């Protein structure tokens, strides 16, 4: 007889969404909106704390292992506002001793004193959105900063006391050659970030690029960029550990690793998503009111919805996360996170192993190189 495994409550993280930017980039489909002249940061901090109050019952005594301020452009907020928010959060949910607190920052918003003040608040990691260092590419992407400002941002981050920072770069940009893309990577590597997120540009519905598509590199060039870029990053000590994430040893993004290992997270702020478990093993997805003006409207609720995942959905939901990781995960994590026996996966697992997409290792769940290249096809086998 198959024993029902014991479900364990996973670690708990907090995502905080800040939905404003200086202006909207033409490729971006995130819930971000051009900020008017007066950023309602005090009202927004009040709303975030009230939103967190309505989520507190999900913590079950767990400390926060990481906090991520994402956006939008959280670096538009003053250190005073973020300080009040962090204090309010810690009063409600204690922080783990080694908590990682990351803030997304745009190089066009860097001021030395502001970043030093962020560091003093306990924010100990920055994620700087560079995208490219080339003037012509930055212009095509509608960015508010130039390449020099991006280089200066990394210097300022270090001077402000951030020894742990990520640079976001994109490739497959309009008219980008292999040399252009490698040039961007070389400049990024020269800043010695601890982490590099290297995304291939995708053209998303509801963006300016979708309606006026730019000329993007051919598939052959995209393939060459991917291969040569990965080799260059590896040569400089950046190990790929996820589809788009590269890190120096011991510097993987702990907040993101929690997503990719199907950990729990509270999501507060306009449009923020959460994933939460109960001690009896029920797992839900939650989402908040999307538009900032509605989120800030006292007549409206913060929660816009919540859905308990069915047993049939859990294998796909678990694997869509862990199989993004280059090394996948220990097979036993499946039972710990979902409360389901590993046998639940057996049939589909055998099929994808047979097709060479999953490693034939009973102790791990990890996609082969083939499986990583065709992850969507692999995941189809685990659909309800
Ligand atoms: C939510 S954005 C926040 C970063 C910050 N607002 C900035 O842009 O400086 C996170 C990252 O997603 C990436 N990104 C956004 N839109 C993308 C797209 N259409 N294709 C690929 N990557 C994208 C960018 O690298 C961006 O830095
Ligand atoms: S600054 Fe970042 S979040 Fe804002 S529109 Fe541009 S890519 Fe999107």
């Amino acid at each position: 007889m198959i024993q029902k495994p014991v479900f364990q409550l996973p670690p708990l993280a907090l995502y905080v969404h800040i939905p404003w930017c200086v202006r909207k980039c033409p490729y971006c489909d995130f819930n971000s909106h051009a900020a008017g002249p007066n950023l309602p940061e005090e009202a927004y901090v009040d709303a975030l704390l009230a939103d967190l109050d309505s989520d507190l019952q999900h913590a079950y005594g767990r400390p926060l292992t990481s906090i991520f301020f994402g956006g939008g452009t959280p670096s538009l907020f003053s250190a005073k506002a973020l300080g009040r928010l962090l204090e309010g959060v810690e009063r409600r949910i204690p922080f783990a001793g080694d908590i990682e607190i990351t803030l997304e920052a745009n190089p066009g918003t860097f001021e030395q004193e502001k970043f030093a003040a962020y560091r003093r608040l306990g924010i100990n990691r920055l994620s700087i959105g560079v995208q490219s260092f080339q003037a012509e590419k930055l212009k095509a992407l509608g960015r508010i900063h130039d390449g020099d400002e991006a280089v200066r941002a990394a210097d300022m981050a270090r001077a402000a006391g951030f020894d742990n920072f990520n640079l976001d770069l994109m490739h497959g940009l309009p008219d980008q050659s292999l040399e252009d893309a490698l040039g961007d990577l070389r400049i990024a590597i020269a800043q010695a970030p601890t982490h590099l997120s290297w995304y291939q540009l995708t053209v998303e519905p509801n963006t300016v690029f979708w309606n006026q598509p730019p000329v993007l590199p051919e598939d052959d060039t995209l393939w060459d960029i991917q291969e040569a870029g990965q080799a260059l990053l590896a040569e400089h000590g950046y190990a790929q550990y996820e589809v788009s994430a590269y890190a120096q040893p011991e510097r993987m993004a702990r907040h993101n690793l929690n997503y990719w290992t199907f950990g729990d997270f509270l999501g507060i702020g306009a449009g923020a998503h959460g994933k939460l478990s109960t001690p009896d093993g029920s797992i839900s997805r939650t989402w908040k009111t999307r538009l900032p003006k509605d989120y800030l409207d006292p007549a409206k609720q913060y929660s816009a919805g919540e859905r308990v995942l069915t047993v049939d959905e859990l294998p796909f939901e678990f694997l869509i996360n862990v199989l993004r990781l280059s090394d996948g995960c220990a097979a036993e994590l499946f039972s710990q996170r979902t409360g389901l026996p590993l046998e639940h996966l057996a049939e589909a697992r055998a099929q994808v192993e047979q097709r060479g997409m999953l490693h034939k290792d009973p102790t791990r769940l990890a996609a082969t190189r083939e499986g990583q290249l065709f992850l969507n096809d692999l995941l189809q086998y685990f659909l309800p």
Side-chain angles (χ1 to χ4, degrees), residues 169 171 185 196-200 225-226 229-230 233 244 246:
L169 271 190
H171 60 283
L185 274 181
L196 258 161
S197 296
W198 192 49
Y199 302 106
Q200 182 173 322
I225 291 175
Q226 189 71 36
Q230 284 174 346
L233 286 162
S244 309
Y246 299 76

Side-chain angles (χ1 to χ4, degrees), residues 16 18 45 48-49 69 80-90 268:
V16 183
I18 308 284
V45 168
L48 287 168
L49 290 173
F69 293 100
K80 183 166 164 273
L82 293 182
R84 187 161 76 84
L85 176 59
L86 276 172
E87 259 174 43
V89 172
E90 194 171 14
I268 59 171

Side-chain angles (χ1 to χ4, degrees), residues 314-360:
L314 285 173
F316 180 86
E317 290 280 331
F318 176 82
L319 291 170
I320 198 174
N321 285 290
V322 300
L323 294 183
R324 294 182 66 90
L325 292 169
S326 309
D327 293 338
C329 70
E332 65 203 23
L333 191 73
F334 176 73
S335 298
Q336 288 166 9
R337 291 287 194 264
T338 65
L340 298 172
L342 201 51
E343 287 77 1
H344 206 87
L345 295 180
E347 197 183 318
R349 198 175 171 191
Q351 286 175 339
V352 280
E353 283 180 3
Q354 186 69 30
R355 283 174 171 68
M357 298 173 111
L358 204 68
H359 283 295
K360 283 187 177 167

